[in-house]
Amino acid sequence: MRLLLAATLLLLPSCVHLLTTRVDYSASASTPTVGGSAFRAEFIPKGAESGLALSAGVIGGATVSEIGPYQVRLHAFGRSGDQRSFRVTSFTLTSPGHFTAPMESRGFEGRAEFKPTKTTGQSRASLLLGPWFRLDEHRDRELLIEAEIEVTRRIGVTHGSLRIPLKQTKTSRRDSHFLLNELWQDIRGEEDPVIEALPPAPESAE
């Protein structure tokens, strides 16, 4: 009887479909440079809202919308042997017509060191800013980052200003998970690899 029950369970539909919508912000102008380094901003969603939906032949289906709050990370792309490090001396996030939020200095403390990348002759430094920003998906469709930057180079120190306008973007992804495989991986203690979320490097850092 138990063998028959186990066989019946194996024949039941055992697939979960997950639809994920990511609400992100992407630069809407050319990449700004300071001290020969090209700067980009990455918005990292730290939360999600979800809802459950069922359909015939499927055990479960979930929709997830990643809407923040967000943490901002600045990336600087330079040339190997030129830039040494960079630091932020002021940072302001603005949603035009809605709010202007200067960040306290403790939110961007520290100095980001440039390290070689897989691209020959290119280096990158990344600085994760402290505060989380709560944004309204429907209201805050455009943002503006303004920051003062200090870049330490082989030839000295360069000061400059960043102005990065951003527009809201949405991307969707559908994943299907076979539950028996998921359960087997859990039993064996296997975990999916963690992929670091980084924006693509500019083609050149002028």
Side-chain angles (χ1 to χ4, degrees):
M1 183 65 179
R2 290 182 179 178
L3 291 176
L4 179 60
L5 179 59
T8 303
L9 289 175
L10 289 174
L11 293 175
L12 289 175
S14 55
C15 187
V16 172
H17 295 293
L18 182 66
L19 177 62
T20 303
T21 300
R22 180 186 177 100
V23 180
D24 207 343
Y25 291 87
S26 302
S28 57
S30 58
T31 305
T33 61
V34 174
S37 304
F39 282 81
R40 288 193 174 183
E42 175 192 12
F43 279 70
I44 307 171
K46 312 300 283 189
E49 289 187 353
S50 62
L52 182 67
L54 300 176
S55 59
V58 179
I59 283 183
T63 59
V64 178
S65 180
E66 297 176 334
I67 62 172
Y70 296 92
Q71 195 168 14
V72 177
R73 182 160 50 180
L74 282 180
H75 303 279
F77 298 87
R79 293 189 178 93
S80 298
D82 186 351
Q83 294 80 11
R84 300 285 192 258
S85 64
F86 83 86
R87 72 183 186 96
V88 178
T89 58
S90 72
F91 184 95
T92 301
L93 180 67
T94 300
S95 175
H98 301 295
F99 70 79
T100 297
M103 186 182 293
E104 295 184 9
S105 58
R106 61 183 179 179
F108 47 79
E109 290 177 340
R111 186 178 293 271
E113 305 290 334
F114 281 84
K115 298 179 181 180
T117 68
K118 293 182 180 180
T119 302
T120 303
Q122 189 178 83
S123 61
R124 183 184 67 212
S126 302
L127 183 65
L128 183 65
L129 306 186
W132 293 6
F133 292 99
R134 294 189 177 275
L135 303 173
D136 187 308
E137 176 184 353
H138 304 290
R139 181 196 65 186
D140 303 321
R141 297 181 182 275
E142 295 187 359
L143 299 174
L144 174 65
I145 287 177
E146 295 175 291
E148 295 297 320
I149 304 293
E150 177 186 284
V151 179
T152 300
R153 309 177 67 179
R154 178 176 55 84
I155 59 175
V157 178
T158 302
H159 297 268
S161 301
L162 292 182
R163 182 181 173 86
I164 308 176
L166 305 110
K167 287 188 176 180
Q168 186 185 101
T169 60
K170 294 183 179 181
T171 55
S172 297
R173 184 183 74 251
R174 182 185 297 275
D175 296 308
S176 297
H177 299 274
F178 187 55
L179 292 185
L180 294 179
N181 286 343
E182 298 289 337
L183 291 172
W184 178 245
Q185 289 180 1
D186 288 341
I187 292 172
R188 297 180 60 183
E190 297 179 0
E191 296 182 358
D192 293 332
V194 177
I195 301 175
E196 185 179 8
L198 291 175
E203 294 183 355
S204 63
E206 300 178 351

